[in-house]
Amino acid sequence: LALVVLVTVMGVRAYDALTGPPLAPWHTYVPDELTAEDIDRSEWAQYVAAEDAVFAAVRNNVTKTLEPEHRVAANRYFEESPLYPGRFAQDWNRSYVLQPDGPATGAAVFLHGLTDTPYSLRHIARRYRDLGFVAVAPRMPAHGTVPAALTKVAWQDWLAAARLAVREARRIGGPDVPLHLIGFSNGGALALKY
């Protein structure tokens, strides 16, 4: 009896999932991100340029194609929404470097969590910068763009982004200053793996 009930519930759930409303563009569009191999061959400026291209592709394939019912203030992909990241002075969803006013006394790399962005670590990064550290926060591949992007990424891509951020922090801060790795959630696992 329990098995019949379970199969029935699962069947109804599957039917509901297949007959629901169509997926929105941010659920189906998958932007092309750099792979681990590409990232390992890149410098920071190349990584940021590739990231800019990803955000431009999302804008062209999602934001610019929104149907009227998706053009609402609560939709972060709608350009006129107060939530649209492109409206902010700085889009914290993207990779960033914060440099101290004087010579760097240390270097810190900030690794965000799964489905998160560098946004979540900006206050800590600013505090480190105020203490004289260069703060480098990479946006992990497939994050901060569209949910569908997570269908085409591997943890090795994220670890490569962490390695790139360390290289950039060392390049700016110098090889002799202390290096701190700060990770939140999945970023903590990446810091430990590094």
Side-chain angles (χ1 to χ4, degrees):
L1 180 63
L3 183 61
V4 170
V5 170
L6 179 64
V7 169
T8 302
V9 168
M10 295 299 288
V12 169
R13 244 345 245 137
Y15 177 78
D16 283 346
L18 295 173
T19 60
L23 295 175
W26 55 88
H27 296 125
T28 58
Y29 176 69
V30 180
D32 287 321
E33 296 262 11
L34 295 178
T35 64
E37 296 79 22
D38 298 329
I39 295 168
D40 283 334
R41 289 190 302 264
S42 296
E43 298 296 325
W44 184 259
Q46 294 168 306
Y47 186 75
V48 171
E51 180 177 88
D52 290 344
V54 167
F55 277 90
V58 168
R59 186 168 188 260
N60 290 332
N61 292 285
V62 176
T63 301
K64 295 291 187 186
T65 65
L66 291 178
E67 297 293 332
E69 66 267 17
H70 295 289
R71 295 175 185 268
V72 295
N75 186 346
R76 71 179 295 267
Y77 299 104
F78 178 42
E79 286 179 303
E80 295 177 30
S81 165
L83 306 174
Y84 182 67
R87 295 176 60 113
F88 301 126
Q90 177 161 353
D91 184 352
W92 293 100
N93 286 333
R94 298 183 183 216
S95 301
Y96 57 84
V97 174
L98 303 178
Q99 295 197 36
D101 291 332
T105 59
V109 173
F110 297 86
L111 305 172
H112 65 78
L114 188 62
T115 73
D116 202 354
T117 67
Y119 171 90
S120 64
L121 295 167
R122 71 194 187 288
H123 294 304
I124 300 169
R126 285 177 179 153
R127 179 70 177 134
Y128 264 82
R129 183 221 31 224
D130 292 346
L131 293 172
F133 280 66
V134 59
V136 178
R139 179 194 61 91
M140 294 297 145
H143 288 72
T145 57
V146 290
L150 290 167
T151 64
K152 188 181 166 187
V153 70
W155 68 267
Q156 291 90 345
D157 303 331
W158 303 331
L159 191 56
R163 288 191 299 267
L164 173 65
V166 169
R167 288 195 311 269
E168 182 66 4
R170 284 285 188 214
R171 185 190 70 76
I172 296 171
D176 299 325
V177 299
L179 174 68
H180 293 194
L181 295 177
I182 297 91
F184 173 72
S185 187
N186 190 54
L190 291 170
L192 184 62
K193 181 81 172 160
Y194 177 85

